[in-house]
Amino acid sequence: MIKQIKQQQGNVSDSCTECGSYVDIGAVVEADDTLLILNFSGDDALMQAQAMQTTAQQRFSDTKANLVDKDNMITLTLDFTFSVEKMIFQLENEL
């Protein structure tokens, strides 16, 4: 089997710079990286922030949220229970 794999390696054209590479996920994601801070501005900033808060808390019910209105800027702080929840939320919402 190994001999067959070695023979076929010459037929592989790998043009992807990331293909075949790996990383220890623990080196990229820290266990305590649970805090996500989002800023909103504009006339509907509060409504956007509240909608994002609702989305987060519906998806991950233990997520803690804090809204701060300062200088016409709404800051939403989401504190997820686990870092993976934060990552999933960011991916699902294209953040």
Side-chain angles (χ1 to χ4, degrees):
M1 180 71 152
I2 301 283
K3 184 178 179 182
Q4 185 180 9
I5 292 171
K6 286 183 179 181
Q7 289 173 345
Q8 292 178 358
Q9 281 181 337
N11 299 332
V12 176
S13 175
D14 188 1
S15 60
C16 177
T17 59
E18 296 173 1
C19 296
S21 61
Y22 67 94
V23 66
D24 178 5
I25 196 68
V28 177
V29 180
E30 295 184 27
D32 61 349
D33 185 15
T34 59
L35 203 61
L36 178 61
I37 300 170
L38 302 169
N39 293 308
F40 300 86
S41 61
D43 294 336
D44 62 344
L46 181 59
M47 193 169 65
Q48 288 179 21
Q50 290 171 330
M52 189 65 71
Q53 175 182 344
T54 300
T55 301
Q57 291 177 322
Q58 284 177 344
R59 180 68 168 95
F60 302 105
S61 59
D62 291 334
T63 301
K64 295 175 182 66
N66 185 39
L67 282 169
V68 176
D69 185 352
K70 184 177 179 184
D71 300 327
N72 296 327
M73 175 77 70
I74 305 293
T75 299
L76 170 63
T77 303
L78 297 171
D79 190 5
F80 295 90
T81 305
F82 303 101
S83 59
V84 70
E85 292 177 346
K86 175 186 169 187
M87 287 178 53
I88 291 169
F89 184 77
Q90 288 175 295
L91 289 169
E92 288 177 344
N93 293 280
E94 299 178 3
L95 299 173

